[in-house]
């Protein structure tokens, strides 16, 4: 079906033409996974990183070109400091351990979210990962870390307002124009947003970009997520009819 709206046309270069181009995942349920086993929440987060590794590989195999994962929200600062520290440590360890492998596999790594407020060592590591993979284009892994959609939209609006005040921008603001100020400026909109763990909410993830995404809520807890869950999510995506506000051809 023709794709309407402001998103770039899917290119599918090197991918499976029937796969959704961009899948975004709210990786939820680490704490419950651990609790069910009598383990500390941190054990769930550790196993969550393994699920992320599996999912990056599976997404590539299944012809998805863009994978965006929600890893730490601006609201997750409300958790105990020890848990926040664990989550920061796991991001650091993931990038340190996997960067060369991702680089070899032609993965472009991006981290979206507010950079300000991240510990300097993590901010530096994230900058390095982005810089070193900047010319890769086979697969795009975007990690939403210290990310909240409202925060992203407000930051974008501030930069835009300053550019107007400085006389750097003139003319009418369009959807496509505004998107240039978002953290996701080089990414197509997600086609499919999956949330694990049986919660039916968006929790401040990609509020602008997911305007016409298909939403899928699955019961599996994130540390258990594997390739077969992703395959089944893609099958369910194919059962959907995306209309983008138009009418189905032949329906009138
Ligand atoms: C997802 O798992 C990871 C983050 C939100 C950082 P949770 O830690 O939210 O796990 P539950 O929802 O408590 O089970
Ligand atoms: C959403 O999960 C954020 C991430 C997965 C990083 P939460 O566990 O923080 O969401 P709520 O609090 O249940 O809405
Ligand atoms: Mg949760």
């Amino acid at each position: 079906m023709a794709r309407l709206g402001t998103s770039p046309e899917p290119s599918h270069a090197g991918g499976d033409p029937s796969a959704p181009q961009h899948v975004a995942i709210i990786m939820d349920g680490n704490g419950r996974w651990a609790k069910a086993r009598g383990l500390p929440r941190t054990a769930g987060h550790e196993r969550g990183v393994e699920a992320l590794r599996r999912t990056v590989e599976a997404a590539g195999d299944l012809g998805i070109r863009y994978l965006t994962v929600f890893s730490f929200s601006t609201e997750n600062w409300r958790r105990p400091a020890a848990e926040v520290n664990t989550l920061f440590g796991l991001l650091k360890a993931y990038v340190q351990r996997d960067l060369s492998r991702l680089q070899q596999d032609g993965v472009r790594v991006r981290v979206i979210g507010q950079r300000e407020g991240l510990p300097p060592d993590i901010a530096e590591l994230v900058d390095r990962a982005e810089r070193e993979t900047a010319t890769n284009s086979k697969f795009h892994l975007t990690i939403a870390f210290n990310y909240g959609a409202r925060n992203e939209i407000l930051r974008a609006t501030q930069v835009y307002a300053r550019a107007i005040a400085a006389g750097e921008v003139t003319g009418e603001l369009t959807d496509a124009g505004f998107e240039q100020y978002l953290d996701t400026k080089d990414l197509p909109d997600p086609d499919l947003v999956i949330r694990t763990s049986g919660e039916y909410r968006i929790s401040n993830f990609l509020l602008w970009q997911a305007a016409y995404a298909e939403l899928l809520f699955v019961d599996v807890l994130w540390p258990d997520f594997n390739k077969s869950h992703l395959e089944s999510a893609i099958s369910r995506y194919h059962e959907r009819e995306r209309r983008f506000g138009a009418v189905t051809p032949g329906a009138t």
Side-chain angles (χ1 to χ4, degrees):
M1 166 184 184
R3 215 182 139 97
L4 306 176
T6 53
S7 308
E9 287 294 316
S11 67
H12 300 306
D16 172 354
S18 67
Q21 180 181 218
H22 184 175
V23 174
I25 307 183
I26 302 172
M27 308 186 291
D28 196 16
N30 296 350
R32 278 162 283 168
W33 183 94
K35 193 173 178 208
R37 286 160 182 79
L39 297 170
R41 291 176 61 83
T42 47
H45 295 315
E46 281 160 16
R47 294 295 284 265
V49 176
E50 288 170 34
L52 173 61
R53 281 197 184 97
R54 278 198 299 275
T55 305
V56 171
E57 195 168 322
D61 287 351
L62 296 172
I64 293 161
R65 294 205 54 224
Y66 294 83
L67 177 71
T68 299
V69 292
F70 202 5
S71 174
F72 186 84
S73 78
T74 45
E75 288 73 34
N76 288 148
W77 287 102
R78 294 172 185 159
R79 297 186 179 201
E83 182 169 348
V84 171
N85 285 339
T86 296
L87 291 164
F88 278 72
L90 286 172
L91 173 76
K92 191 174 169 183
Y94 174 71
V95 177
Q96 281 173 333
R97 224 184 104 179
D98 287 43
L99 185 58
S100 59
R101 173 73 194 274
L102 293 165
Q103 175 71 288
Q104 261 169 32
D105 292 346
V107 177
R108 179 160 180 186
V109 178
R110 292 179 180 85
V111 177
I112 58 169
Q114 187 167 296
R115 216 43 82 79
E116 201 191 312
L118 290 186
D121 58 331
I122 296 202
E124 254 165 56
L125 185 65
V126 156
D127 284 347
R128 180 158 77 84
E130 291 190 331
R131 213 175 36 244
E132 287 182 7
T133 64
T135 56
N136 293 344
S137 59
K138 208 168 153 196
F139 187 84
H140 298 258
L141 172 64
T142 302
I143 303 171
F145 197 90
N146 199 22
Y147 175 87
R150 288 181 173 181
N151 170 276
E152 178 193 32
I153 291 167
L154 288 181
R155 282 187 288 107
T157 306
Q158 276 166 355
V159 176
Y160 175 70
R162 282 194 204 111
I164 298 243
E168 291 160 14
V169 195
T170 50
E172 205 169 314
L173 184 61
T174 59
D175 284 9
F178 185 66
E179 282 167 1
Q180 295 311 306
Y181 294 92
L182 294 172
D183 295 348
T184 51
K185 61 180 179 305
D186 301 321
L187 302 172
D189 284 345
D191 300 298
L192 173 64
V193 175
I194 303 169
R195 183 175 188 143
T196 59
S197 88
E199 305 289 0
Y200 301 103
R201 54 180 173 265
I202 293 295
S203 300
N204 203 12
F205 188 44
L206 300 178
L207 295 180
W208 172 283
Q209 299 85 344
Y212 270 103
E214 295 299 325
L215 306 180
L216 188 65
F217 300 95
V218 297
D219 285 338
V220 56
L221 300 173
W222 176 249
D224 290 327
F225 195 82
N226 62 31
K227 189 175 184 179
S228 69
H229 297 116
L230 187 60
E231 279 172 319
S232 126
I234 293 171
S235 306
R236 289 176 64 189
Y237 169 82
H238 286 307
E239 290 162 9
R240 307 279 180 90
E241 188 196 354
R242 302 184 76 186
R243 290 191 287 273
F244 300 94
V247 286
T248 308
T252 48

